[in-house]
Coordinates of all heavy atoms in Angstrom, one line a residue:
M3 N 1.3 15.3 13.0 CA 2.7 15.3 13.3 C 3.2 16.7 12.8 O 2.7 17.2 11.8 CB 3.5 14.2 12.5 CG 4.2 13.3 13.5 SD 5.2 12.0 12.7 CE 4.3 11.4 11.4
L4 N 4.2 17.2 13.5 CA 4.9 18.4 13.1 C 6.4 18.2 13.0 O 6.9 17.3 13.7 CB 4.7 19.5 14.1 CG 3.2 19.9 14.4 CD1 3.2 20.8 15.7 CD2 2.6 20.6 13.3
I5 N 7.1 18.9 12.2 CA 8.6 18.9 12.2 C 9.1 20.3 12.4 O 8.5 21.3 12.0 CB 9.2 18.2 11.0 CG1 9.0 19.0 9.8 CG2 8.8 16.8 10.9 CD1 9.8 18.6 8.6
S6 N 10.2 20.4 13.1 CA 10.9 21.7 13.3 C 12.3 21.4 12.9 O 12.9 20.4 13.2 CB 10.8 22.1 14.7 OG 11.5 23.3 14.9
L7 N 13.0 22.4 12.2 CA 14.3 22.1 11.8 C 15.1 23.4 11.9 O 14.6 24.5 11.8 CB 14.5 21.5 10.4 CG 13.8 22.2 9.3 CD1 14.9 22.8 8.4 CD2 13.0 21.2 8.5
R8 N 16.4 23.2 12.1 CA 17.4 24.3 12.2 C 18.7 23.9 11.7 O 19.1 22.7 11.9 CB 17.5 24.8 13.7 CG 18.5 25.9 13.9 CD 18.3 26.5 15.2 NE 17.1 27.3 15.2 CZ 16.6 27.9 16.2 NH1 17.1 27.7 17.4 NH2 15.5 28.6 16.1
D9 N 19.5 24.7 11.1 CA 20.8 24.4 10.7 C 21.7 24.1 11.9 O 21.6 24.7 12.9 CB 21.5 25.5 9.9 CG 20.8 25.8 8.5 OD1 20.3 24.8 8.0 OD2 20.9 26.9 8.0
N10 N 22.6 23.1 11.7 CA 23.4 22.7 12.9 C 24.9 22.9 12.6 O 25.8 22.5 13.4 CB 23.1 21.3 13.4 CG 23.5 20.2 12.4 OD1 24.1 20.4 11.4 ND2 23.0 19.0 12.7
D11 N 25.3 23.3 11.4 CA 26.7 23.5 11.0 C 27.5 22.2 11.1 O 28.7 22.3 11.4 CB 27.3 24.6 11.7 CG 26.7 25.9 11.4 OD1 26.2 26.1 10.3 OD2 26.6 26.8 12.3
L12 N 26.9 21.0 11.0 CA 27.6 19.7 11.1 C 27.3 19.0 9.7 O 26.4 19.4 9.0 CB 27.0 18.9 12.2 CG 27.2 19.4 13.6 CD1 26.5 18.5 14.6 CD2 28.7 19.4 14.0
P13 N 28.2 18.1 9.4 CA 28.0 17.4 8.1 C 26.9 16.3 8.2 O 26.8 15.5 7.3 CB 29.4 16.8 7.9 CG 30.0 16.6 9.2 CD 29.4 17.7 10.0
R14 N 26.1 16.2 9.2 CA 25.1 15.2 9.4 C 23.9 15.8 10.1 O 23.9 16.9 10.6 CB 25.7 14.1 10.3 CG 26.1 14.5 11.6 CD 26.7 13.3 12.4 NE 27.4 13.8 13.6 CZ 26.8 14.2 14.7 NH1 25.5 14.2 14.8 NH2 27.5 14.6 15.8
N15 N 22.8 15.0 10.0 CA 21.6 15.5 10.7 C 21.5 14.9 12.1 O 22.1 13.8 12.4 CB 20.4 15.0 10.0 CG 20.2 15.7 8.7 OD1 20.7 16.8 8.5 ND2 19.4 15.1 7.7
R16 N 20.8 15.6 13.0 CA 20.5 15.0 14.3 C 19.0 15.1 14.5 O 18.4 16.0 14.0 CB 21.2 15.9 15.4 CG 22.7 15.8 15.4 CD 23.3 16.5 16.5 NE 23.0 18.0 16.5 CZ 23.6 18.9 17.3 NH1 24.5 18.5 18.2 NH2 23.3 20.1 17.2
Y17 N 18.5 14.0 15.1 CA 17.0 13.9 15.2 C 16.6 13.9 16.7 O 17.3 13.3 17.5 CB 16.6 12.6 14.5 CG 16.9 12.5 13.1 CD1 18.1 11.9 12.6 CD2 16.1 13.2 12.1 CE1 18.5 11.9 11.3 CE2 16.5 13.1 10.8 CZ 17.7 12.5 10.4 OH 18.0 12.5 9.1
G18 N 15.4 14.4 16.9 CA 14.8 14.4 18.2 C 13.3 14.1 18.0 O 12.7 14.4 17.0
F19 N 12.7 13.4 19.0 CA 11.3 13.0 18.9 C 10.6 13.4 20.2 O 11.1 13.2 21.3 CB 11.2 11.5 18.8 CG 11.9 10.9 17.6 CD1 13.2 10.4 17.7 CD2 11.3 11.0 16.3 CE1 13.8 10.0 16.6 CE2 12.0 10.6 15.2 CZ 13.2 10.0 15.3
V20 N 9.5 14.1 20.0 CA 8.7 14.6 21.2 C 7.4 13.9 21.1 O 6.6 14.0 20.1 CB 8.5 16.1 21.1 CG1 7.6 16.6 22.3 CG2 9.8 16.8 21.1
V21 N 7.1 13.1 22.2 CA 5.8 12.4 22.3 C 5.3 12.7 23.7 O 5.8 12.2 24.7 CB 6.0 10.9 22.1 CG1 4.6 10.2 22.1 CG2 6.7 10.6 20.8
G22 N 4.2 13.5 23.7 CA 3.7 14.0 25.0 C 2.9 12.9 25.7 O 2.5 11.9 25.2
K23 N 2.7 13.2 27.0 CA 1.9 12.2 27.9 C 0.5 12.0 27.4 O -0.1 11.0 27.7 CB 1.9 12.7 29.3 CG 3.3 12.5 30.0 CD 3.1 12.8 31.5 CE 4.4 12.5 32.2 NZ 4.3 12.7 33.6
R24 N -0.1 12.9 26.7 CA -1.4 12.7 26.2 C -1.5 11.6 25.2 O -2.6 11.1 24.9 CB -1.9 14.0 25.5 CG -2.2 15.1 26.4 CD -2.8 16.3 25.7 NE -2.9 17.4 26.6 CZ -3.3 18.6 26.2 NH1 -3.5 18.8 24.9 NH2 -3.3 19.6 27.0
T25 N -0.4 11.2 24.6 CA -0.3 10.1 23.7 C -0.6 8.8 24.3 O -1.1 7.9 23.7 CB 1.0 10.1 22.9 OG1 1.3 11.4 22.4 CG2 1.1 9.1 21.8
G26 N -0.3 8.6 25.6 CA -0.6 7.4 26.3 C 0.5 7.0 27.3 O 1.2 7.9 27.8
T27 N 0.5 5.8 27.6 CA 1.5 5.3 28.7 C 2.9 5.4 28.1 O 3.1 5.6 26.9 CB 1.1 3.8 29.0 OG1 1.3 3.0 27.9 CG2 -0.3 3.7 29.6
A28 N 3.8 5.2 29.0 CA 5.3 5.2 28.6 C 5.5 4.1 27.6 O 6.3 4.4 26.6 CB 6.1 5.0 29.8
V29 N 4.9 3.0 27.7 CA 5.1 1.9 26.7 C 4.6 2.4 25.3 O 5.4 2.2 24.3 CB 4.3 0.6 27.1 CG1 4.4 -0.4 26.0 CG2 4.9 0.1 28.4
S30 N 3.5 3.0 25.2 CA 3.0 3.4 23.9 C 3.8 4.6 23.4 O 4.1 4.7 22.2 CB 1.5 3.8 24.0 OG 1.3 4.8 24.9
R31 N 4.3 5.5 24.2 CA 5.1 6.6 23.8 C 6.4 6.1 23.2 O 6.9 6.6 22.2 CB 5.4 7.6 24.9 CG 4.1 8.4 25.4 CD 4.4 9.5 26.3 NE 5.2 9.2 27.4 CZ 4.7 8.9 28.6 NH1 3.4 8.8 28.8 NH2 5.5 8.7 29.6
N32 N 7.0 5.1 23.9 CA 8.3 4.6 23.4 C 8.1 3.8 22.1 O 9.0 3.8 21.3 CB 8.9 3.7 24.5 CG 9.5 4.5 25.6 OD1 9.9 5.6 25.5 ND2 9.5 3.9 26.8
R33 N 7.0 3.2 22.0 CA 6.7 2.4 20.7 C 6.6 3.4 19.6 O 7.1 3.2 18.5 CB 5.3 1.7 20.9 CG 5.0 0.9 19.6 CD 3.8 0.0 19.8 NE 3.5 -0.7 18.6 CZ 2.4 -0.6 17.9 NH1 1.4 0.2 18.3 NH2 2.2 -1.3 16.8
V34 N 5.9 4.6 19.8 CA 5.9 5.6 18.8 C 7.2 6.1 18.4 O 7.6 6.2 17.2 CB 5.0 6.8 19.3 CG1 5.1 8.0 18.3 CG2 3.5 6.4 19.4
K35 N 8.1 6.3 19.4 CA 9.5 6.8 19.1 C 10.2 5.7 18.3 O 11.0 6.1 17.4 CB 10.2 7.1 20.4 CG 9.7 8.3 21.1 CD 10.6 8.6 22.3 CE 9.7 9.1 23.4 NZ 10.5 9.3 24.7
R36 N 10.1 4.5 18.6 CA 10.8 3.4 17.9 C 10.3 3.4 16.5 O 11.1 3.2 15.5 CB 10.5 2.0 18.6 CG 11.4 1.8 19.8 CD 11.3 0.3 20.2 NE 10.0 -0.2 20.3 CZ 9.3 -0.2 21.5 NH1 9.8 0.4 22.6 NH2 8.1 -0.7 21.5
R37 N 9.0 3.5 16.3 CA 8.5 3.5 14.9 C 9.0 4.7 14.1 O 9.3 4.5 12.9 CB 6.9 3.4 14.9 CG 6.4 2.1 15.5 CD 4.9 2.1 15.7 NE 4.3 1.9 14.4 CZ 3.1 2.2 14.1 NH1 2.3 2.7 15.0 NH2 2.6 2.0 12.9
L38 N 9.0 5.8 14.7 CA 9.5 7.0 14.0 C 11.0 6.9 13.7 O 11.4 7.3 12.6 CB 9.2 8.3 14.8 CG 7.8 8.7 14.9 CD1 7.6 9.9 15.9 CD2 7.3 9.1 13.5
R39 N 11.8 6.3 14.6 CA 13.2 6.1 14.3 C 13.3 5.2 13.1 O 14.2 5.4 12.2 CB 13.9 5.5 15.5 CG 14.3 6.5 16.5 CD 15.3 5.9 17.6 NE 15.0 6.6 18.8 CZ 14.3 6.2 19.8 NH1 13.8 4.9 19.8 NH2 14.1 6.9 20.9
A40 N 12.5 4.2 13.0 CA 12.6 3.2 11.9 C 12.2 3.9 10.6 O 12.9 3.7 9.5 CB 11.7 2.0 12.1
V41 N 11.2 4.8 10.6 CA 10.9 5.6 9.4 C 12.0 6.5 9.0 O 12.4 6.5 7.8 CB 9.6 6.4 9.6 CG1 9.4 7.4 8.5 CG2 8.4 5.5 9.8
I42 N 12.6 7.1 10.0 CA 13.8 8.0 9.7 C 14.9 7.3 9.1 O 15.6 7.7 8.2 CB 14.2 8.8 10.9 CG1 13.1 9.8 11.4 CG2 15.5 9.6 10.7 CD1 12.7 10.8 10.3
D43 N 15.2 6.1 9.6 CA 16.3 5.3 9.1 C 16.1 4.9 7.6 O 17.0 4.8 6.9 CB 16.4 4.0 9.9 CG 17.1 4.2 11.3 OD1 17.7 5.2 11.5 OD2 17.0 3.3 12.1
G44 N 14.8 4.8 7.2 CA 14.5 4.5 5.9 C 14.7 5.6 4.9 O 15.0 5.4 3.7
V45 N 14.6 6.8 5.4 CA 14.7 8.0 4.5 C 15.9 8.9 4.7 O 16.1 9.8 4.0 CB 13.4 8.9 4.5 CG1 12.2 8.2 4.1 CG2 13.2 9.5 5.9
H46 N 16.7 8.5 5.7 CA 17.9 9.3 6.1 C 18.8 9.6 4.9 O 19.3 10.7 4.8 CB 18.6 8.6 7.2 CG 19.9 9.3 7.6 ND1 19.8 10.5 8.4 CD2 21.2 9.1 7.4 CE1 21.1 10.9 8.5 NE2 21.9 10.1 8.0
D47 N 19.1 8.6 4.1 CA 20.0 8.8 3.0 C 19.5 9.7 1.9 O 20.2 10.3 1.1 CB 20.4 7.5 2.4 CG 21.2 6.6 3.3 OD1 21.8 7.1 4.2 OD2 21.1 5.4 3.1
C48 N 18.2 9.9 1.9 CA 17.5 10.8 0.9 C 17.3 12.2 1.4 O 16.8 13.1 0.6 CB 16.2 10.2 0.5 SG 16.2 8.6 -0.2
L49 N 17.8 12.5 2.6 CA 17.6 13.9 3.1 C 18.8 14.7 3.0 O 20.0 14.2 2.9 CB 17.3 13.8 4.6 CG 16.0 13.1 5.0 CD1 15.9 13.0 6.5 CD2 14.8 13.8 4.5
G50 N 18.6 16.1 2.9 CA 19.7 17.0 2.9 C 20.4 16.9 4.3 O 19.7 16.5 5.3
Q51 N 21.7 17.2 4.4 CA 22.4 17.0 5.6 C 22.7 18.4 6.3 O 22.7 19.4 5.6 CB 23.7 16.3 5.4 CG 23.5 14.9 4.8 CD 22.8 14.0 5.8 OE1 23.2 13.9 7.0 NE2 21.7 13.3 5.4
G52 N 23.0 18.4 7.6 CA 23.3 19.6 8.3 C 22.2 20.2 9.0 O 22.2 21.5 9.2
Y53 N 21.2 19.4 9.5 CA 20.1 20.0 10.2 C 19.8 19.3 11.5 O 20.1 18.1 11.7 CB 18.8 19.8 9.4 CG 18.8 20.6 8.1 CD1 19.2 20.0 6.9 CD2 18.5 21.9 8.1 CE1 19.2 20.7 5.7 CE2 18.5 22.6 6.9 CZ 18.9 22.0 5.7 OH 18.9 22.7 4.5
D54 N 19.3 20.0 12.5 CA 18.7 19.4 13.7 C 17.2 19.3 13.4 O 16.6 20.4 13.1 CB 18.9 20.3 14.9 CG 20.4 20.3 15.4 OD1 21.1 19.3 15.1 OD2 20.8 21.2 16.0
I55 N 16.6 18.1 13.5 CA 15.3 17.9 13.1 C 14.5 17.4 14.3 O 14.9 16.4 14.9 CB 15.1 16.9 11.9 CG1 15.9 17.5 10.7 CG2 13.7 16.7 11.6 CD1 16.1 16.5 9.6
V56 N 13.4 18.0 14.7 CA 12.6 17.6 15.8 C 11.2 17.2 15.2 O 10.6 18.0 14.5 CB 12.4 18.6 16.9 CG1 11.5 18.2 18.0 CG2 13.8 19.0 17.5
I57 N 10.8 16.0 15.5 CA 9.5 15.5 15.1 C 8.6 15.4 16.3 O 8.9 14.8 17.3 CB 9.6 14.1 14.4 CG1 10.5 14.3 13.2 CG2 8.2 13.6 14.1 CD1 10.7 13.0 12.5
V58 N 7.5 16.1 16.2 CA 6.5 16.2 17.3 C 5.3 15.3 16.9 O 4.6 15.6 15.9 CB 6.0 17.6 17.6 CG1 5.0 17.6 18.8 CG2 7.2 18.5 17.9
A59 N 5.1 14.3 17.7 CA 4.0 13.3 17.4 C 2.7 13.8 18.2 O 2.8 14.2 19.3 CB 4.4 11.9 17.8
K60 N 1.6 13.6 17.5 CA 0.3 13.9 18.1 C -0.4 12.6 18.6 O 0.0 11.5 18.1 CB -0.6 14.6 17.1 CG 0.0 15.9 16.7 CD 0.1 16.9 17.8 CE 0.6 18.2 17.3 NZ 0.8 19.2 18.4
P61 N -1.3 12.6 19.5 CA -2.0 11.4 20.0 C -2.6 10.5 18.9 O -2.6 9.2 19.0 CB -3.0 11.9 20.9 CG -2.5 13.2 21.4 CD -1.8 13.8 20.2
A62 N -3.0 11.0 17.8 CA -3.6 10.2 16.7 C -2.6 9.3 16.1 O -3.0 8.3 15.4 CB -4.3 11.1 15.7
I63 N -1.4 9.4 16.3 CA -0.3 8.6 15.7 C -0.4 7.1 16.1 O 0.0 6.2 15.4 CB 1.1 9.2 16.0 CG1 2.1 8.6 15.0 CG2 1.5 8.9 17.4 CD1 3.4 9.3 15.0
L64 N -1.0 6.9 17.3 CA -1.1 5.5 17.8 C -1.9 4.6 16.9 O -1.7 3.4 16.8 CB -1.7 5.5 19.2 CG -0.8 6.0 20.3 CD1 -1.6 6.2 21.6 CD2 0.4 5.2 20.5
Q65 N -2.9 5.2 16.2 CA -3.8 4.4 15.4 C -3.3 4.2 14.0 O -3.9 3.5 13.2 CB -5.2 5.0 15.3 CG -6.0 4.8 16.6 CD -5.6 5.8 17.7 OE1 -5.2 6.9 17.4 NE2 -5.7 5.5 18.9
Q66 N -2.2 4.9 13.6 CA -1.7 4.9 12.2 C -0.9 3.6 12.0 O 0.0 3.3 12.8 CB -0.9 6.1 11.9 CG -1.6 7.4 12.2 CD -2.9 7.5 11.3 OE1 -2.9 7.1 10.1 NE2 -3.9 8.1 11.9
P67 N -1.1 3.0 10.8 CA -0.2 1.9 10.5 C 1.2 2.4 10.0 O 1.3 3.6 9.7 CB -0.9 1.2 9.3 CG -1.8 2.2 8.8 CD -2.2 3.1 9.9
Y68 N 2.2 1.6 10.0 CA 3.5 2.0 9.7 C 3.6 2.6 8.3 O 4.3 3.6 8.1 CB 4.5 0.7 9.7 CG 5.9 1.1 9.5 CD1 6.7 1.7 10.5 CD2 6.5 0.8 8.3 CE1 8.0 2.0 10.3 CE2 7.8 1.1 8.1 CZ 8.6 1.7 9.1 OH 9.9 2.0 8.9
S69 N 2.9 2.1 7.3 CA 3.0 2.7 6.0 C 2.4 4.1 6.0 O 2.9 4.9 5.2 CB 2.2 1.8 5.0 OG 0.8 1.7 5.4
E70 N 1.4 4.4 6.8 CA 0.9 5.7 6.9 C 1.9 6.7 7.5 O 2.1 7.8 7.1 CB -0.4 5.7 7.6 CG -1.1 7.1 7.7 CD -1.5 7.6 6.3 OE1 -1.6 6.9 5.3 OE2 -1.9 8.8 6.3
L71 N 2.6 6.2 8.5 CA 3.7 7.0 9.1 C 4.8 7.3 8.1 O 5.3 8.5 8.1 CB 4.4 6.2 10.3 CG 3.5 6.1 11.6 CD1 4.3 5.3 12.6 CD2 3.1 7.4 12.1
Q72 N 5.1 6.4 7.3 CA 6.1 6.6 6.2 C 5.6 7.7 5.3 O 6.4 8.6 4.9 CB 6.4 5.4 5.4 CG 7.2 4.3 6.2 CD 7.4 3.1 5.4 OE1 6.4 2.6 4.8 NE2 8.6 2.6 5.3
R73 N 4.4 7.6 4.9 CA 3.8 8.6 4.0 C 3.8 10.0 4.6 O 4.2 11.0 4.0 CB 2.4 8.2 3.6 CG 1.8 9.1 2.4 CD 0.3 8.8 2.3 NE -0.4 9.3 3.4 CZ -0.7 10.6 3.6 NH1 -0.2 11.5 2.8 NH2 -1.4 11.0 4.6
I74 N 3.4 10.1 5.8 CA 3.3 11.4 6.5 C 4.7 12.0 6.7 O 4.8 13.2 6.4 CB 2.6 11.2 7.9 CG1 1.1 10.9 7.7 CG2 2.7 12.5 8.7 CD1 0.5 10.4 9.0
V75 N 5.6 11.2 7.1 CA 7.0 11.7 7.2 C 7.6 12.2 5.9 O 8.2 13.3 5.8 CB 7.9 10.7 7.9 CG1 9.4 11.1 7.8 CG2 7.5 10.5 9.4
N76 N 7.3 11.4 4.8 CA 7.8 11.8 3.5 C 7.1 13.2 3.1 O 7.8 14.0 2.5 CB 7.5 10.8 2.5 CG 8.5 9.6 2.6 OD1 9.6 9.8 3.0 ND2 8.0 8.4 2.1
V77 N 5.9 13.3 3.3 CA 5.2 14.6 3.0 C 5.7 15.7 3.8 O 6.0 16.8 3.2 CB 3.6 14.4 3.2 CG1 3.0 15.8 3.1 CG2 3.0 13.5 2.2
L78 N 6.0 15.5 5.1 CA 6.5 16.6 5.9 C 7.9 17.0 5.4 O 8.2 18.2 5.3 CB 6.6 16.2 7.4 CG 5.3 16.1 8.1 CD1 5.5 15.5 9.5 CD2 4.6 17.4 8.2
F79 N 8.8 16.0 5.1 CA 10.1 16.4 4.6 C 10.1 17.0 3.2 O 10.9 17.9 2.9 CB 11.0 15.1 4.6 CG 11.5 14.7 5.9 CD1 11.7 13.4 6.2 CD2 11.8 15.7 6.9 CE1 12.2 13.0 7.5 CE2 12.2 15.3 8.1 CZ 12.4 14.0 8.4
Q80 N 9.1 16.6 2.4 CA 9.0 17.3 1.1 C 8.5 18.7 1.2 O 9.1 19.6 0.5 CB 8.0 16.5 0.2 CG 8.5 15.3 -0.4 CD 7.5 14.5 -1.1 OE1 6.3 14.8 -1.1 NE2 7.9 13.4 -1.8
R81 N 7.6 19.0 2.1 CA 7.2 20.4 2.4 C 8.3 21.2 2.9 O 8.4 22.4 2.7 CB 6.0 20.4 3.4 CG 4.7 19.9 2.8 CD 3.6 20.0 3.8 NE 2.4 19.5 3.2 CZ 1.3 19.3 3.9 NH1 1.3 19.6 5.2 NH2 0.2 18.8 3.4
A82 N 9.2 20.6 3.7 CA 10.3 21.3 4.3 C 11.5 21.4 3.3 O 12.5 22.0 3.6 CB 10.8 20.7 5.6
R83 N 11.3 20.8 2.1 CA 12.3 20.8 1.0 C 13.6 20.2 1.5 O 14.7 20.6 1.1 CB 12.6 22.2 0.5 CG 11.3 22.9 0.0 CD 11.6 24.3 -0.5 NE 10.4 25.0 -0.7 CZ 9.8 25.2 -1.9 NH1 10.3 24.6 -2.9 NH2 8.7 25.9 -2.0
L84 N 13.5 19.1 2.3 CA 14.6 18.4 2.7 C 14.8 17.1 1.9 O 15.9 16.6 1.8 CB 14.5 18.0 4.2 CG 14.8 19.0 5.3 CD1 14.6 18.4 6.6 CD2 16.2 19.5 5.1
L85 N 13.7 16.5 1.4 CA 13.8 15.2 0.7 C 14.2 15.5 -0.7 O 13.7 16.2 -1.4 CB 12.4 14.6 0.8 CG 12.3 13.2 0.4 CD1 13.1 12.3 1.4 CD2 10.8 12.7 0.4
K86 N 15.3 14.8 -1.0 CA 15.8 14.8 -2.4 C 15.0 13.9 -3.3 O 15.1 12.6 -3.1 CB 17.3 14.4 -2.4 CG 18.2 15.3 -1.6 CD 19.6 14.7 -1.7 CE 20.5 15.2 -0.6 NZ 21.7 14.5 -0.4
V87 N 14.2 14.4 -4.1 CA 13.3 13.6 -5.0 C 14.1 13.2 -6.2 O 14.7 14.1 -6.8 CB 12.0 14.3 -5.3 CG1 11.2 13.4 -6.2 CG2 11.3 14.7 -4.1
G88 N 14.1 12.0 -6.6 CA 14.9 11.7 -7.8 C 15.1 10.3 -8.0 O 15.0 9.3 -8.3

């Protein structure tokens, strides 16, 4: 997974999800997006605000359990210095 972010000059974050056709059928791509939205909902309050955040999913994401998705997203946000640890 990759993330890309940019300042948006708003008091809130906006999120986008990119799941390519290589990931699978429309059903599996939509499932990935739903799972990623659920992960983001869980960490949204712990993130800095004012960013446009795009998460790009890779095909290997289909085999990952939900707990692993949470861990990966947390690591990505920590590397981007968006996650408020405390």
Side-chain angles (χ1 to χ4, degrees):
M3 241 185 318
L4 302 169
I5 64 168
S6 177
L7 55 109
R8 177 167 286 172
D9 291 334
N10 67 12
D11 297 326
L12 296 173
R14 60 183 166 76
N15 290 339
R16 296 186 295 187
Y17 301 95
F19 302 97
V20 178
V21 183
K23 284 189 175 183
R24 289 184 186 175
T25 305
T27 64
V29 172
S30 59
R31 292 192 306 268
N32 287 330
R33 180 173 183 242
V34 168
K35 289 183 218 176
R36 282 193 307 270
R37 293 175 77 200
L38 287 173
R39 276 190 213 104
V41 170
I42 294 299
D43 285 345
V45 297
H46 176 74
D47 293 336
C48 301
L49 296 176
Q51 298 297 310
Y53 297 98
D54 288 336
I55 301 169
V56 177
I57 297 177
V58 181
K60 301 295 181 181
I63 199 169
L64 288 172
Q65 288 79 30
Q66 302 300 321
Y68 184 78
S69 60
E70 184 65 13
L71 290 180
Q72 288 177 314
R73 188 191 69 75
I74 292 169
V75 168
N76 283 335
V77 168
L78 289 173
F79 283 147
Q80 285 174 350
R81 286 184 185 171
R83 300 179 196 264
L84 280 180
L85 194 61
K86 299 177 197 168
V87 180

